Amino acid sequence: MNVPRETRESRAVEPDRRHGLLTAKLTALVTAGWRAGELSEAGRTAVPFPGAAGLLAGGTGWVLVEDAPARALGPALLWAGRAGVDRLHVLVEAEAGRLARRATTFARAPRVWQVRGRAVTLATPEPIGPAPRLGAETSGWVDQLRAAGAEPVVEAGVLTGEVLGLEVARVVSDAEGSRLEVGVGKHDRHAQRIMGGDVPTQAALVAAVAAVREHRRAGAPHHPLNRLASERWLRAVVVERPAQVGAAHLAPVPSLVGRDDLRQHAPAPAAGVDGRGRPLLVVCSTGIDLDLVPAAADARLADGRGPRLVLVVPECDDHPVHRSLSALLVEPAEVRTVPDDWRSRASLP
């Protein structure tokens, strides 16, 4: 993605000056793009918005988001609630179509605007396309992953092997065909290619699975292998024991939130049915994630069955913002907690 020059420059300055630049930019966009009557009710007031800029005029609010625009909706809705905003406008330079789609899931849907230079246009909700299918050659690696103790997972047309939610291998396809690369994340896979060329792939995979299981257990010393992708670890536990969240059966489903780094947090969905056979979508998260509710509502759209939506978090992460944002949905989600010792509830082979 090409980042506009003015955006690159604003990111390079100190926070206070950058905030001033963003506020000035938002003021110019709003002044040029909205009717004077909508602005003159109570004048314009700049209201702090972390990592972005916010303006108020009467019951109308505007926010201009540069950092992580795909995650802007949750923070913007919370800001609007605290500021007493009745009509919310979210302005972004990227991810406008995705945000517009997510906005439709809220009862008082904010309007999302695409910023191009000095102009703004109303964003059209981006449709959710069909999931890419695995090729026959790629699918052939599924049995090899399972034989080593890794769970095959398909997202965005890519096959990976996970151990308690953590990726340990990935099938890579190029002009030379498909191959299984072992490693926790892209950097470890690169290192394995350089340093472990003489180790058979299956042996390297078995060793990686064992190493992750050793660290990914209750009571293990702090280590990167038990800090990465904790939300997917929680999903693995819930899938194994679905009754603890009111489900009869659950299976992981692809997330619409792309990740190019295992350190990035992304709510982890699992689809199934409840005890009465009704469609159910469970979305797992850890920590306080303001993107949890918008991402989960988006996952419900992708599900297509109109399922009941349940958000699952550890007891220590049951923050009021999750419940307040859930209540704003057209179809509010239920928040369920699991005990803080949830890591001890995953079975080991």
Side-chain angles (χ1 to χ4, degrees), residues 30-199:
V30 170
T31 302
W34 274 265
R35 299 186 306 273
E38 195 168 358
L39 299 175
S40 61
E41 181 179 343
R44 290 191 302 269
T45 304
V47 178
F49 188 107
L55 281 179
L56 289 180
T60 302
W62 295 262
V63 293
L64 172 63
V65 181
E66 280 191 344
D67 294 341
R71 298 173 56 87
L73 198 55
L77 287 165
L78 289 173
W79 175 87
R82 291 166 182 164
V85 168
D86 296 319
R87 298 176 299 279
L88 174 63
H89 302 279
V90 181
L91 287 70
V92 291
E93 293 180 342
E95 303 288 356
R98 178 189 295 189
L99 284 183
R101 183 182 69 228
R102 288 180 166 198
T104 64
T105 65
F106 289 88
R108 299 176 66 177
R111 305 191 84 183
V112 178
W113 299 84
Q114 173 80 61
V115 178
R116 291 187 177 90
R118 298 179 181 178
V120 295
T121 55
L122 188 63
T124 301
E126 180 182 283
I128 298 174
R133 291 180 174 273
L134 287 182
E137 187 176 4
T138 301
S139 300
W141 294 100
V142 169
D143 290 341
Q144 187 168 339
L145 289 168
R146 287 202 173 111
E151 179 67 24
V153 175
V154 178
E155 288 194 0
V158 176
L159 174 63
T160 63
E162 292 188 356
V163 176
L164 294 174
L166 185 61
E167 178 185 324
V168 297
R170 174 177 293 232
V171 176
V172 177
S173 299
D174 54 26
E176 299 178 1
S178 69
R179 63 185 181 277
L180 185 67
E181 293 188 351
V182 177
V184 178
K186 56 188 176 184
H187 301 298
D188 190 27
R189 292 200 308 273
H190 179 68
Q192 292 277 0
R193 287 198 302 272
I194 296 174
M195 305 297 294
D198 295 334
V199 179

